[in-house]
Amino acid sequence: METKPQNNKQLEKIRDMIEDIRIAMLTTVDEQGNLVSRPMAALQVDEEGTIWFFTKRTSPKVDQVESNTSRVNLAFADVGDANYVSVSGTAQELDDRAKVEELWNPQAKVWFPKGKDDPELILLKVHINMAEYWDSNDSMMVRLVQQAAAAITGKPPKMGENEKVYN
């Protein structure tokens, strides 16, 4: 995934964590008001705090973004390193062939067999309004020892840093 230097310096930590995780669960709201999530591969985090994805023009998520005020959530999780990012933002579909060309990669051909000129291929961009992260800087062994100590002492373990970031 490509990342660019952030205009908002607070977003750099978010960008770095997303770059390492890459797959997000994108949550939208369907016609009945249900929350619906699906995995999406982040392609780029640009300097404005926008996360870019490929999607299909006829995907239900595109209709959900258009009809439900475009508010979405992205959840990134790296369970092995105990790093998590939750992004609240606004989504928009975009048919921009130059941006598709810029972001195209060989793995996308699995989803879009006709290539970057596939008429079903459009972009989904999510602008970050607020993000919260949990970052454990410790190894799994240290985290296990901290949890064991917490079980004995009854005091919650300190499991890394947690911060909300606004764009």
Side-chain angles (χ1 to χ4, degrees):
M1 174 178 47
E2 178 187 0
T3 59
K4 296 185 177 183
Q6 298 299 292
N7 291 340
N8 177 342
K9 292 299 178 191
Q10 290 183 305
L11 285 179
E12 286 184 14
K13 175 77 173 184
I14 302 297
R15 180 207 59 207
D16 292 344
M17 291 179 75
I18 290 171
E19 179 179 34
D20 290 341
I21 299 170
R22 199 169 159 260
I23 302 296
M25 291 298 289
L26 169 69
T27 303
T28 57
V29 179
D30 72 10
E31 302 76 31
Q32 290 78 37
N34 299 305
L35 296 173
V36 182
S37 299
R38 80 282 289 152
M40 300 281 292
L43 300 168
Q44 179 187 76
V45 181
D46 71 17
E47 60 277 349
E48 300 298 323
T50 299
I51 305 170
W52 292 88
F53 302 89
F54 288 146
T55 192
K56 290 188 176 184
R57 184 182 309 277
T58 56
S59 168
K61 76 178 125 330
V62 172
D63 291 334
Q64 292 163 3
V65 164
E66 290 176 347
S67 64
N68 290 304
T69 68
S70 74
R71 306 256 322 135
V72 299
N73 181 267
L74 296 168
F76 295 86
D78 180 348
V79 178
D81 285 337
N83 293 327
Y84 308 91
V85 179
S86 177
V87 172
S88 176
T90 52
Q92 176 185 6
E93 65 154 304
L94 189 64
D95 190 353
D96 179 338
R97 300 332 280 178
K99 189 71 174 179
V100 166
E101 177 74 33
E102 174 189 339
L103 297 175
W104 182 256
N105 62 70
Q107 295 95 345
K109 193 153 181 133
V110 172
W111 301 104
F112 302 97
K114 295 178 184 173
K116 55 189 159 197
D117 296 321
D118 190 324
E120 275 291 298
L121 173 59
I122 61 170
L123 297 159
L124 184 69
K125 65 181 205 172
V126 176
H127 182 74
I128 300 171
N129 295 328
M130 189 275 291
E132 185 170 11
Y133 69 86
W134 298 263
D135 181 6
S136 175
N137 297 318
D138 297 322
S139 70
M140 185 178 292
M141 184 60 72
V142 170
R143 291 192 314 268
L144 289 172
V145 169
Q146 290 172 335
Q147 291 171 12
I152 294 168
T153 65
K155 296 179 183 174
K158 292 187 170 39
M159 299 298 288
E161 52 181 306
N162 167 239
E163 184 178 352
K164 286 185 180 174
V165 176
Y166 295 89
N167 192 10

